[in-house]
Amino acid sequence: MPDEAKIERDRIERRRFKIKDIDQLKLVDDVFNEYTLKALYELMNRRIVLEVYGPIAQGKEAKVIWGKDYEGKDLALKVYYTLANRFINRNPYIMGDRRFSGKPSNPFKLASMWCRKEFRNMKRAYEAKVLVPTPIAFYNNILVMEFIGEDGAPAPLLKDEPPSDVQSAYIDVILNVEKALIIGKLIHADLSEYNILNWNGKLYIIDWGSAVDSSHPNSTDLLYRDIRNINRFFSKLGASTVDEGKLTEALIERSRGSYIIDNNRVIINGKDLLSYLNLS
Ligand SMILES: Nc1ncnc2c1ncn2[C@@H]1O[C@H](COP(=O)(O)OP(=O)(O)OP(=O)(O)O)[C@@H](O)[C@H]1O
Ligand SMILES: [Mg+2]
């Protein structure tokens, strides 16, 4: 066996935690406190997760852990931190969302609430045919989803690996924003090249924790901000973008009518978004 492969295998072996020894995870990563271990234990008992290997990424609100299911398929486990201070800045979003009207009372509940919120949002996006990692399950502060990447190496972020065809990637992203809004009634609200994975020529939108229902009082501003971020990134790469005000208005206008889906596109009065904008 070549050295590199052996090192990699040893690395995995060292990080291989099955149900009998998940207690040891505490030693590997401090994200695994008692509360989180119990959640992991539950997901293992339900046979959703077979084993976990270790962290692949660390975000502001969660750590993402690589694992496997009983069929040997890779999983990404997003483990929300249970520290109260991590959430203070995010609170206004939850508070403005009618689905979360109760006041969370402790950091464990708050982490679980965020996890449930992200899972539901992801599921809505997934069902609206937006390209997202398939949401699989959640329990307390752990969200389980499809792993995007290979052999424990996560797919690069769009910011680190720009697409080869920037124009069609731009169109792809705005059509996904439209599907989320019109079919899923959802606005991502934290969309940028930092929350898109570029894998095998496909762009997966991740990090749905702060997404809001289209009935949110700030929905237009949030949608505008998402589009502005996307426009900024893609125009820097040389794509020709649709003016953010015009695009936001078009999307809001289109979200008022009834739609059909044809060929994975939203059609309103016979027009998809591109023909509505006279782009095709
Ligand atoms: N399904 C997945 N497959 C592979 N990698 C993933 C997956 N989901 C997330 N990641 C990796 O984990 C990182 C953190 O995920 P995510 O953006 O959802 O967390 P976050 O804590 O909200 O991050 P931040 O607040 O810093 O944006 C991502 O940037 C990506 O590298
Ligand atoms: Mg993120």
Side-chain angles (χ1 to χ4, degrees):
M1 186 186 297
D3 275 1
E4 240 170 69
K6 184 174 180 321
I7 291 167
E8 178 63 13
R9 204 200 56 194
D10 289 348
R11 188 177 69 86
I12 292 172
E13 277 307 319
R14 272 201 312 278
R15 287 182 163 181
R16 203 177 173 106
F17 294 97
K18 295 205 185 189
I19 201 154
K20 61 177 167 42
D21 49 23
I22 59 169
D23 257 6
Q24 292 183 35
L25 275 171
K26 269 189 275 190
L27 307 174
V28 180
D29 199 305
D30 59 8
V31 80
F32 288 105
N33 53 26
E34 288 298 330
Y35 182 81
T36 305
L37 283 176
K38 252 179 79 186
L40 181 60
Y41 195 70
E42 181 65 32
L43 289 163
M44 288 174 152
N45 267 334
R46 292 184 185 181
R47 300 177 73 83
I48 291 160
V49 177
L50 172 65
E51 49 191 24
V52 296
Y53 304 124
I56 50 170
Q58 184 159 349
K60 286 187 294 293
E61 59 193 45
K63 250 184 203 179
V64 178
I65 314 278
W66 173 35
K68 273 198 197 291
D69 72 5
Y70 276 77
E71 289 162 3
K73 272 211 303 281
D74 288 328
L75 299 173
L77 281 71
K78 184 165 177 177
V79 180
Y80 281 77
Y81 303 125
T82 53
L83 304 170
N85 55 4
R86 302 267 182 192
F87 295 91
I88 287 165
N89 293 338
R90 298 280 192 155
N91 248 334
Y93 282 122
I94 272 196
M95 294 314 172
D97 191 320
R98 66 179 161 75
R99 289 172 297 163
F100 296 88
S101 45
K103 268 209 178 107
S105 51
N106 71 45
F108 299 106
K109 278 200 184 146
L110 202 45
S112 300
M113 200 179 204
W114 270 107
C115 179
R116 185 170 67 240
K117 183 176 195 268
E118 176 155 24
F119 183 82
R120 288 182 183 170
N121 289 339
M122 266 188 101
K123 209 156 172 259
R124 260 163 79 170
Y126 180 77
E127 283 163 2
K129 310 253 182 290
V130 179
L131 192 54
V132 299
T134 309
I136 297 169
F138 72 98
Y139 190 82
N140 284 349
N141 64 326
I142 303 182
L143 189 163
V144 184
M145 62 183 139
E146 176 190 6
F147 182 93
I148 310 299
E150 203 169 35
D151 294 331
L157 296 174
L158 184 58
K159 77 169 178 75
D160 297 320
E161 190 157 312
S164 42
D165 183 340
V166 289
Q167 196 60 43
S168 78
Y170 173 69
I171 299 294
D172 179 66
V173 173
I174 65 172
L175 290 175
N176 273 288
V177 169
E178 182 184 48
K179 281 189 276 187
L181 177 69
I182 294 180
I183 311 173
K185 308 264 176 274
L186 206 56
I187 294 158
H188 186 285
D190 193 18
L191 191 61
S192 75
E193 63 276 23
Y194 288 81
N195 280 328
I196 299 178
L197 300 174
N198 183 2
W199 188 242
N200 290 336
K202 287 190 194 160
L203 302 182
Y204 291 79
I205 303 179
I206 61 165
D207 208 355
W208 290 82
S210 37
V212 298
D213 191 275
S214 55
S215 68
H216 190 283
N218 297 336
S219 61
T220 307
D221 292 348
L222 294 169
L223 179 65
Y224 178 82
R225 205 179 61 186
D226 278 356
I227 291 169
R228 199 184 51 197
N229 288 341
I230 290 303
N231 276 2
R232 193 189 290 136
F233 175 75
F234 279 98
S235 57
K236 239 178 20 208
L237 294 178
S240 68
T241 57
V242 184
D243 174 80
E244 39 257 42
K246 189 175 157 199
L247 184 50
T248 307
E249 224 170 85
L251 289 172
I252 298 282
E253 182 57 35
R254 282 168 67 79
S255 71
R256 296 201 178 103
S258 56
Y259 66 88
I260 58 162
I261 312 285
D262 183 33
N263 208 3
N264 203 21
R265 294 229 176 145
V266 176
I267 310 289
I268 291 160
N269 296 330
K271 287 185 174 177
D272 72 1
L273 180 63
L274 304 182
S275 51
Y276 182 88
L277 292 166
N278 296 319
L279 293 179
S280 67

